[in-house]
Amino acid sequence: MTKQTLSFSRKDSAKFFKTLNKRVNDYFKENNLKRTGNWKLYTKAIFMFALLVIPTALVLSINLPGWAQILCMIITGIGMAGVGMNVMHDANHGSFSSKKWVNKLMGSSIYILAGNDYNWKVQHNVLHHTYTNIQGHDEDIDAGRIIRFSKHTKWQRFHKYQKYYAFFLYGLLTANWAITTDFVQTYHYLKRKLAYGKFPNPATQWTKLIIGKIVYYSIWVVLPISLGFAWWQVLIGFIVMHYTAGIILSVIFQLAHVMPNTEMPLPDEDGNMKNTWAIHQLLTTSNFSPKSWLAGFYTGGLNRQVEHHLFAHISHIHYGKIAKIVKQTANEFSLPYNEYNSFWQAVAEHYNQLKQLGQKPSFA
């Protein structure tokens, strides 16, 4: 049975977000808090960078046995994902610090994670946050032909097996950034004249992209080889690191949007959506593990996607507090608030969603 998109009156929707905004603003005023990060975030940033750097330094400086090298690169991958979710993500949303130069500096950490800040801001801040779960606009639900994340994507026979192979492919996310994705995105985004803020000079963007890749491969490939590691050892370490980071990031991303309780709405013939932006975010996002300290700490608050999508300009360290406000206000207005109590419950439901989307539609 096809899930019908819920619709709410524009008047009530506007009143909801006005009320919610006031309550969140009052929370920060009454507690004399900045919306950006504080010492807790900065301490966590140091920890995440340590997870990324220290295991790599050990591999490069000490003659470790093979199993220990693999373990270190797994930890490096965990650190890579941790820096991405806790440092780069907040910074490129402008919420890591109240100082723009700090956000720019911390946001540029994406370059040591295999990405590019221009591409990420367009793909994430513009396309994903504006057109969440809308087929043809939100690239987070576009996996080409290989995985069917939306009921609006054309069904292929092999999709019935995606419940088995999707999780294995998730590990390729950051490796794709390093090899092909950034070049493809830069070409298409510049051609479409997309930007988050000022549109960059195309020549400057291509130069930054190429230099960024040269620096990236110099750190993660050239340097180890120059220190005496065989090319195959470097390749194994590179794959292990990226596969670890990729599967972590991909699973967390998918648990936020490709779930049985989230919608995949489409605009009408005139290009209009049924609901206002704020209601759309409630319908298309989902939280998991709201009571887990570890989930909130490591994922950079991405386990609270509802709060993140409604208040992306607020640092994730505040999500735990404002979540109570969001949930209460949504309940008062009889609006949905999607949430799973545990990580593994959410993973199981995502698996079920992959299974459902892998079945042949009745109209196919």
Side-chain angles (χ1 to χ4, degrees):
M1 182 176 179
T2 303
K3 182 178 179 180
Q4 297 297 317
T5 301
L6 298 173
S7 182
F8 301 89
S9 72
R10 297 263 164 178
K11 182 178 179 181
D12 289 342
S13 299
K15 187 177 180 182
F16 158 73
F17 198 49
K18 183 178 180 180
T19 302
L20 179 61
N21 255 327
K22 183 180 184 304
R23 290 176 177 177
V24 171
N25 288 336
D26 288 345
Y27 165 76
F28 283 99
K29 289 178 182 177
E30 291 168 3
N31 293 280
N32 193 28
L33 295 171
K34 289 184 178 181
R35 295 166 179 261
T36 51
N38 55 26
W39 67 269
K40 292 181 181 179
L41 177 57
Y42 307 147
T43 302
K44 181 161 62 163
I46 294 172
F47 175 76
M48 294 300 171
F49 274 117
L51 278 181
L52 174 67
V53 174
I54 292 176
T56 306
L58 290 175
V59 171
L60 296 178
S61 60
I62 301 175
N63 186 22
L64 298 172
W67 66 267
Q69 292 179 348
I70 295 294
L71 178 60
C72 281
M73 295 316 295
I74 289 174
I75 297 173
T76 296
I78 294 172
M80 176 183 285
V83 170
M85 293 184 290
N86 291 276
V87 181
M88 183 277 291
H89 187 257
D90 267 31
N92 281 325
H93 272 297
S95 64
F96 185 88
S97 169
S98 58
K99 296 179 173 59
K100 289 185 177 180
W101 71 268
V102 175
N103 285 323
K104 187 173 182 179
L105 176 64
M106 292 296 100
S108 62
S109 62
I110 193 172
Y111 286 96
I112 60 173
L113 307 178
N116 176 268
D117 62 345
Y118 165 71
N119 290 334
W120 190 90
K121 287 178 181 178
V122 171
Q123 184 270 325
H124 187 79
N125 291 0
V126 178
L127 300 178
H128 176 62
H129 274 269
T130 306
Y131 308 103
T132 312
N133 277 19
I134 301 178
Q135 182 70 26
H137 297 278
D138 183 0
E139 293 182 358
D140 277 14
I141 60 169
D142 181 9
R145 298 177 60 192
I146 194 66
I147 304 177
R148 188 171 186 255
F149 283 140
S150 170
K151 63 184 180 181
H152 306 297
T153 301
K154 183 179 178 181
W155 181 82
Q156 306 286 344
R157 287 183 179 275
F158 54 78
H159 285 147
K160 61 185 178 181
Y161 303 111
Q162 69 177 19
K163 60 186 178 182
Y164 302 118
Y165 65 72
F167 284 90
F168 293 100
L169 295 181
Y170 288 168
L172 302 178
L173 175 68
T174 59
N176 284 337
W177 286 356
I179 300 170
T180 61
T181 302
D182 274 330
F183 295 97
V184 174
Q185 286 184 334
T186 287
Y187 173 78
H188 287 295
Y189 294 164
L190 291 177
K191 185 177 180 180
R192 295 167 62 188
K193 297 190 182 302
L194 295 176
Y196 181 69
K198 185 179 179 181
F199 184 72
N201 179 287
T204 301
Q205 166 56 20
W206 279 113
T207 301
K208 284 179 61 179
L209 177 61
I210 293 170
I211 292 175
K213 295 302 179 186
I214 291 173
V215 172
Y216 175 79
Y217 281 109
S218 295
I219 294 172
W220 296 106
V221 177
V222 177
L223 177 60
I225 291 177
S226 68
L227 291 175
F229 287 88
W231 67 268
W232 57 269
Q233 291 176 305
V234 176
L235 180 61
I236 291 174
F238 187 84
I239 292 173
V240 169
M241 174 184 72
H242 271 294
Y243 197 83
T244 302
I247 201 164
I248 292 171
L249 293 172
S250 292
V251 169
I252 289 172
F253 291 165
Q254 303 314 325
L255 297 188
H257 300 289
V258 185
M259 304 292 286
N261 64 356
T262 58
E263 296 191 2
M264 299 276 180
L266 288 178
D268 60 25
E269 294 179 354
D270 298 320
N272 299 314
M273 301 301 296
K274 285 186 178 181
N275 296 293
T276 60
W277 175 84
I279 305 301
H280 180 89
Q281 300 309 315
L282 288 177
L283 295 173
T284 57
T285 58
S286 183
N287 292 348
F288 68 88
S289 302
K291 296 180 181 180
S292 170
W293 173 86
L294 179 60
F297 178 84
Y298 180 64
T299 68
L302 293 181
N303 63 315
R304 294 188 181 274
Q305 278 290 310
V306 176
E307 286 68 38
H308 174 58
H309 272 255
L310 289 172
F311 299 101
H313 58 289
I314 295 177
S315 173
H316 73 267
I317 60 169
H318 303 294
Y319 290 170
K321 296 293 184 181
I322 68 174
K324 299 176 182 178
I325 302 173
V326 176
K327 190 172 186 177
Q328 176 189 343
T329 308
N331 289 336
E332 287 178 14
F333 282 82
S334 299
L335 294 169
Y337 184 87
N338 300 320
E339 193 169 61
Y340 293 96
N341 290 328
S342 74
F343 170 76
W344 292 112
Q345 180 191 14
V347 170
E349 288 302 309
H350 175 60
Y351 171 85
N352 289 334
Q353 184 70 350
L354 289 173
K355 181 179 178 180
Q356 177 66 33
L357 291 169
Q359 296 175 3
K360 184 178 181 180
S362 57
F363 55 83

